[in-house]
Amino acid sequence: MTDQQRVAVITGANRGMGLEMCRQLAERGMTVVLTSRDADKGEGAVAELREAGLAVGYHQLDVDVPASVAALYDFLADQHGRLDVLVNNAGAMFEPSDPADKDGASIFNTELDVIRQSIETNTFGALRCCMTLIPLMQKHDYGRIVNVSTGMASLINMGGGWPGYRMSKAALNVVTRVLSAELKGSNIKVNSVCPGFVRTHLGGEGAPRSIEEGVDTTLWLATLRDEGPTGGFFRDCKAIDW
Ligand SMILES: NC(=O)c1ccc[n+]([C@@H]2O[C@H](COP(=O)([O-])OP(=O)(O)OC[C@H]3O[C@@H](n4cnc5c(N)ncnc54)[C@H](OP(=O)(O)O)[C@@H]3O)[C@@H](O)[C@H]2O)c1
């Protein structure tokens, strides 16, 4: 099977890195389903890609809502009968995202509800998508799952502040490890990626990396050959410490 026949779903793709991932996977000829929790924003993003000549599909998806993820499963099963690539890109920082606001993001100034919401979206949202959609990959024993994590989740380099973001993405890395262990022996690969510090809504204007630089490693993991890695954590296409 060629890239051209593969079906890819990107979560949280109405802007930022998710939108760029859709653009580049569609440019490679993949059948891309752009998803967003807000239908107007998502359809606007799809229109932008279609104007550039790219054939991109759309489905609404709020990763926090089980019925929304189930509806995406039904759409994929009915319209495509398969899923080959899932990028769990949807995510948010619920503490102040300004890197200078160390006080605002301190664990001592963070409500438990903020941490709970971070885990709901950044961990459970991705896990819910995996649990619901992996059966579509198992039907033809092919899958490339990329969980968009962050170096802020690395236990070996753990710093202070942003406890909800760090915990939820560290738990996302556990999702990567558990799934890859349970899928061992299959051709479904699950990896985590750190995109670096990227100029998006989340990263802010002062971040050093462009969106194109930020999506490089994700796109490599989304299109891995059969002999490629699984159960790893990567930045700049190189393994990094958990
Ligand atoms: N930028 C960085 O420096 C950086 C570094 C490390 C990791 N990351 C990770 O990279 C991923 C992409 O972020 P980005 O930098 O491109 O930021 P972004 O522009 O803020 O994009 C985040 C996307 O996630 C969506 N989203 C949030 N909650 C959602 C939900 N419940 N259901 C569906 N979609 C949801 C947002 O939708 P709305 O427009 O509706 O809010 C938006 O489309 C995130 O997982 C982030 O944690 C970013």
Side-chain angles (χ1 to χ4, degrees), residues 12 14-15 17 37 62-63 89 148-149 165 169 196 198 200:
N14 52 287
R15 68 177 186 215
M17 286 191 272
R37 59 179 163 180
D62 185 333
V63 300
N89 169 75
V148 182
S149 183
Y165 192 68
K169 294 287 191 178
V198 182
T200 61

Side-chain angles (χ1 to χ4, degrees), residues 81-121:
R82 61 184 299 126
L83 177 65
D84 301 284
V85 174
L86 169 64
V87 182
N88 285 308
N89 169 75
M93 185 179 267
F94 293 91
E95 296 101 346
S97 62
D98 179 353
D101 193 359
K102 294 200 165 48
D103 208 33
S106 161
I107 197 166
F108 298 109
N109 295 324
T110 303
E111 300 286 338
L112 273 181
D113 274 349
V114 166
I115 296 177
R116 204 171 275 122
Q117 183 59 56
S118 308
I119 291 172
E120 186 61 49
T121 299

